[in-house]
Amino acid sequence: MSAQRRPTMYDVAALAGVSHQTVSRYLRADPTVGADSSSRIKAAVDELGYRPNLTARAMRTRSTGVVAIILPGWTGPERTVEAACEEAQRLGYQVEIVIGVDEDPAALSRLADDILGRGQVDGVLSVTPLTVKTGGVVVQTDEFDHRLRAVEAVAADESTMEELVERLAALGHRELFHVAGPQDWKSAQLRRSGYLKACERLGLRSHGVYDGPWHPETGAAAVRSLPEDTPVTAIVAASDHIGAGVLRAALERGWRVPGDLSVTGWDDLTLVRYGTPALSTVRVDRESSGRHGMRRLIAALRNEPEPEPLPAAPTEIIFRETTGPVGSR
């Protein structure tokens, strides 16, 4: 049996009906490649399973063909990192994920220095601030601080939370409870503020705000804190992780969701879409930041102009199976 030949850039070009130079420009994220050509090239790359030959490129360019993404933890930037990895792969790079759990900015910076200094990777993408001394290529997305607290795109959190509560009110909910995140996080503060403002403006009754870490146990503990005869019909969780804990504790108490209790989260994590029931949530665009950050890094490695920022998708409230009209407990 003969081994299957590895697809080449020329195979991609032939299938897409473009020149190999156009394919090369597409792989470098050259903005001069038209939308139609880009669509056909992407389809050809996917169909053929084409991947650039990193070994040949390394011999030609003295490049490893590998970039690193450094994180101070995993919870929070999942979708940002996933999009960055997809973009790196599309541009012909492999990615190493380096997680320095609970390390401060100085420790993370030393970690980046060490990786760059040993020549393990061509460059580093960080979702949090770093101070690197080696002179290597480092790009930051500026989306999170060193504790993975979102520092951008949170200004709309307050108004979005108000809209979310309005939609719950439209379903007949008048007795609400908010499970918030840690209040030293700006995003948690804004979501809490939006919840309270909406309750006051709409004449809804809030049965309290329960603060805690971004963890399912916060949601579970909040539900356990409610009395057996609570009139609460909707719980607004400040994150999907917290919302998952709310769902679990509601099940343990024998409450039907959404028959007895409607639940909402925030983030649109992939896992909650496949829960039973699927969690209602708020989707914030994290992908654009990850893709743009990786494009900036690879453009810097190739001595190309910095790419234009990608337009962010609008924040979207998504009601799924955990939310419905007021029922009867």
Side-chain angles (χ1 to χ4, degrees):
M1 185 191 314
S2 60
Q4 184 176 3
R5 183 175 67 87
R6 177 174 178 158
T8 68
M9 185 186 302
Y10 295 91
D11 297 323
V12 174
L15 183 58
V18 299
S19 68
H20 73 276
Q21 292 95 335
T22 301
V23 175
S24 177
R25 287 190 290 118
Y26 167 83
L27 294 173
R28 298 197 306 271
D30 189 325
T32 64
V33 180
D36 180 63
S37 295
S38 293
S39 177
R40 286 186 281 125
I41 294 170
K42 182 181 186 305
V45 167
D46 292 342
E47 180 176 338
L48 295 173
Y50 171 75
R51 296 291 179 268
N53 189 326
L54 298 178
T55 301
R57 183 173 68 183
M59 294 176 64
R60 185 175 67 252
T61 66
R62 297 182 180 179
S63 164
T64 67
V66 179
V67 294
I69 300 177
I70 290 184
L71 306 169
W74 183 246
T75 300
E78 298 99 321
R79 286 171 33 219
T80 300
V81 172
E82 181 181 9
C85 290
E86 290 175 354
E87 195 66 20
Q89 186 179 56
R90 186 182 75 80
L91 295 172
Y93 281 79
Q94 294 179 343
V95 179
E96 290 187 0
I97 305 294
V98 182
I99 302 179
V101 179
D102 293 330
E103 293 188 359
D104 60 25
L108 288 174
S109 298
R110 288 193 296 270
L111 181 61
D113 275 326
D114 181 58
I115 293 171
L116 289 166
R118 285 188 279 140
Q120 293 177 254
V121 299
D122 295 340
V124 166
L125 177 67
S126 176
V127 301
T128 62
L130 294 180
T131 303
V132 177
K133 301 177 181 178
T134 61
V137 179
V138 179
V139 166
Q140 299 171 25
T141 67
D142 297 323
E143 187 179 9
F144 301 91
D145 70 6
H146 71 280
R147 291 178 56 196
L148 287 176
R149 297 179 293 197
V151 296
E152 285 189 350
V154 297
D157 280 15
E158 185 174 60
S159 59
T160 302
M161 178 61 85
E162 288 193 62
E163 182 184 349
L164 174 62
V165 174
E166 287 175 0
R167 292 185 56 176
L168 288 170
L171 292 172
H173 294 281
R174 295 292 181 271
E175 311 285 342
L176 282 69
F177 184 56
H178 180 43
V179 189
Q183 290 305 294
D184 58 340
W185 289 55
K186 184 65 173 178
S187 53
Q189 295 171 12
L190 289 170
R191 293 169 200 175
R192 174 184 182 139
S193 175
Y195 164 81
L196 293 173
K197 283 184 177 180
C199 286
E200 181 178 2
R201 176 168 53 84
L202 299 171
L204 308 178
R205 185 180 177 192
S206 173
H207 290 262
V209 175
Y210 191 102
D211 299 334
W214 303 112
H215 192 280
E217 180 55 30
T218 299
V223 171
R224 297 187 199 111
S225 74
L226 293 172
E228 191 62 36
D229 60 349
T230 179
V232 169
T233 63
I235 293 182
V236 182
S239 77
D240 287 347
H241 288 102
I242 292 173
V246 169
L247 290 176
R248 178 63 190 179
L251 175 67
E252 291 173 351
R253 296 192 68 162
W255 295 348
R256 298 170 302 151
V257 177
D260 300 323
L261 181 73
S262 285
V263 180
T264 64
W266 195 294
D267 288 326
D268 194 28
L269 299 180
T270 301
L271 189 61
V272 304
R273 305 173 197 169
Y274 297 92
T276 304
L279 181 64
S280 297
T281 189
V282 175
R283 180 177 181 82
V284 178
D285 183 4
R286 301 296 185 198
E287 288 80 2
S288 293
S289 174
R291 290 193 184 96
H292 181 58
M294 186 56 70
R295 289 185 186 183
R296 288 173 56 211
L297 174 61
I298 293 175
L301 292 172
R302 294 172 172 172
N303 293 314
E304 297 173 349
E306 180 163 318
E308 291 293 323
L310 296 172
T315 299
E316 180 183 7
I317 296 172
I318 305 171
F319 274 9
R320 298 194 178 105
E321 297 167 358
T322 61
T323 306
V326 173
S328 57
R329 185 172 298 141

